[in-house]
Amino acid sequence: MTQLKELLPNLIKATLSTRIITDGLDECEDKDQKQILQELMKLCGDRCKVLISSRDGGHIGKVLRKKKTLAFRDRRSDVDRDIRLYASHTLAGLREEFGDDIIEEIEQAVVKKADGGLGLLSFYTCCTDASLGMFLWVRLVIDSILDCHSISELRNAVTLLPEGLDAA
């Protein structure tokens, strides 16, 4: 940390414009969050902009309360739409290969897993609602399905998926 405190300001001075992107700060210990946020806020200015992608918690919300923020929970419909578009696009190849009926069956099985076994009617609705905007989870689920080369592999992949996001 000592070396970063010295290195980053010097790097920023050497450039016309700097962007620092930090992800997963919520996974750090509270004391580390606080220290990292303090140091990042010191760097902010005309030549340096900081983007923090994180869940709100610990010191994050307190420090960023006075800063411009975009909370995905406030943009739920946009996030849901984006996840539906992603799912639709990435599963299109499977529909061509295996047919609509099989993919509908697989989608419904994924729904049950994504929803912790409750099984809503629409894959896209459930997947977006259950994921609460968690693109990575949706991507990993779909990627595991896209790697399948037979109907039995598709069904097996869905069987092995964790029961809901909490189990993931």
Side-chain angles (χ1 to χ4, degrees):
M1 190 63 140
T2 304
Q3 291 173 346
L4 274 176
K5 286 181 188 180
E6 189 177 318
L7 178 64
L8 281 176
N10 289 332
L11 287 173
I12 292 168
K13 287 177 189 173
T15 63
L16 294 175
S17 179
T18 302
R19 303 292 184 257
I20 298 173
I21 301 172
T22 305
D23 186 26
L25 192 56
D26 57 299
E27 297 177 22
C28 296
E29 297 288 329
D30 279 350
K31 66 178 179 72
D32 294 332
Q33 279 182 20
K34 187 175 183 178
Q35 185 178 11
I36 292 167
L37 286 166
Q38 286 173 345
E39 294 303 323
L40 286 173
M41 294 305 109
K42 287 179 190 175
L43 297 172
C44 288
D46 293 336
R47 297 174 64 156
C48 182
K49 304 293 181 198
V50 175
L51 172 79
I52 297 172
S53 171
S54 182
R55 291 186 184 127
D56 188 9
H59 296 283
I60 298 167
K62 293 174 190 171
V63 172
L64 298 181
R65 197 170 303 156
K66 299 171 190 163
K67 305 291 182 184
K68 288 183 183 179
T69 60
L70 170 66
F72 287 129
R73 68 179 170 273
D74 298 338
R75 308 287 300 216
R76 177 80 183 263
S77 63
D78 293 338
V79 172
D80 289 351
R81 185 193 72 238
D82 292 343
I83 289 174
R84 281 192 301 274
L85 288 170
Y86 174 77
S88 175
H89 176 74
T90 55
L91 293 173
L94 288 183
R95 289 185 177 282
E96 294 169 8
E97 186 176 345
F98 296 109
D100 285 339
D101 291 342
I102 297 297
I103 298 308
E104 288 296 324
E105 175 188 330
I106 297 303
E107 288 174 355
Q108 288 185 10
V110 170
V111 166
K112 289 178 185 176
K113 295 288 185 163
D115 199 32
L118 296 177
L120 301 178
L121 296 175
S122 164
F123 167 73
Y124 299 116
T125 301
C126 175
C127 199
T128 58
D129 287 348
S131 70
L132 298 173
M134 297 176 75
F135 281 93
L136 180 58
W137 191 88
V138 173
R139 180 178 170 212
L140 292 173
V141 167
I142 291 174
D143 283 352
S144 70
I145 293 169
L146 291 175
D147 287 338
C148 298
H149 302 290
S150 69
I151 293 171
S152 63
E153 282 185 32
L154 285 170
R155 289 181 175 139
N156 189 42
V158 171
T159 302
L160 296 175
L161 290 173
E163 292 283 344
L165 292 175
D166 291 337

